[in-house]
Amino acid sequence: MNSPKTQLPAFLIADLYKSNLVLVTGVPTPITEKAVAEKPAAKTVKPTKQAEAKEWFLGSNQKNITLVVNETGARYLKDDSLQFLSSILSACKLNLGDVAIVNYHQDPVDYLLVKEKLAPRFLLLFDVTAKQVQLPFTIPFYQVQDYDKCQILL
């Protein structure tokens, strides 16, 4: 039985392979041995602070919605979880570019760091407690809690 093929959105692919994709402008020229020999040595480029800062979350955070998950065995989310999350976001007329996904298992973050770097208006915690992200209170499951200009849901 063949499983259906999942096609990732272009912004997600570009985000995953940002240091490996090459954008070419103009007319492409054929590569010859002479052109390769004449090509100057590639410069070593260090990632910018902005690029380094983005590695700990997935997505573009365009709508300031932060999802903190606790997923073992994956950098951000496993494929089936990512597919499920994408379908939930689609039902809400959102996509992965609108959110920031942080895997607490890979990068244990606290609320202050998330608030400083991502400025969430909405914070959704999946399998992560308020205590783990160092919130000064507890929140019952499925109850929205307003705190510091942010709505938090476990």
Side-chain angles (χ1 to χ4, degrees):
M1 175 181 248
N2 292 339
S3 61
K5 293 186 180 188
T6 304
Q7 186 172 5
L8 297 175
F11 73 90
L12 182 58
I13 294 171
D15 193 40
L16 291 172
Y17 298 101
K18 60 185 163 224
S19 62
N20 297 333
L21 291 179
V22 177
L23 296 176
V24 179
T25 58
V27 179
T29 57
I31 298 177
T32 62
E33 289 181 26
K34 183 179 178 184
V36 172
E38 293 175 357
K39 184 177 178 181
K43 289 193 256 180
T44 304
V45 178
K46 292 184 180 180
T48 63
K49 288 184 181 181
Q50 182 181 11
E52 289 175 355
K54 194 170 181 182
E55 288 182 14
W56 61 280
F57 69 91
L58 175 68
S60 299
N61 196 31
Q62 293 174 350
K63 303 245 174 141
N64 294 87
I65 301 170
T66 301
L67 309 171
V68 180
V69 299
N70 193 1
E71 183 93 32
T72 58
R75 177 67 185 114
Y76 301 107
L77 282 173
K78 293 180 183 172
D79 289 339
D80 56 338
S81 298
L82 184 63
Q83 182 67 31
F84 181 65
L85 176 63
S86 294
S87 62
I88 291 172
L89 291 172
S90 294
C92 299
K93 298 190 187 307
L94 298 169
N95 60 47
L96 291 173
D98 297 328
V99 301
I101 302 169
V102 179
N103 187 352
Y104 185 85
H105 187 78
Q106 295 291 329
D107 295 302
V109 295
D110 61 7
Y111 175 77
L112 293 176
L113 176 69
V114 170
K115 186 69 175 174
E116 177 186 330
K117 300 293 184 184
L118 299 175
R121 292 183 304 133
F122 303 97
L123 177 63
L124 301 159
L125 304 174
F126 295 95
D127 198 23
V128 177
T129 64
K131 184 178 181 179
Q132 286 176 299
V133 292
Q134 299 177 6
L135 285 170
F137 50 84
T138 59
I139 306 171
F141 292 124
Y142 308 110
Q143 179 179 321
V144 177
Q145 177 68 48
D146 289 325
Y147 175 70
D148 195 23
K149 297 180 184 175
C150 180
Q151 293 186 337
I152 304 168
L153 178 69
L154 273 75

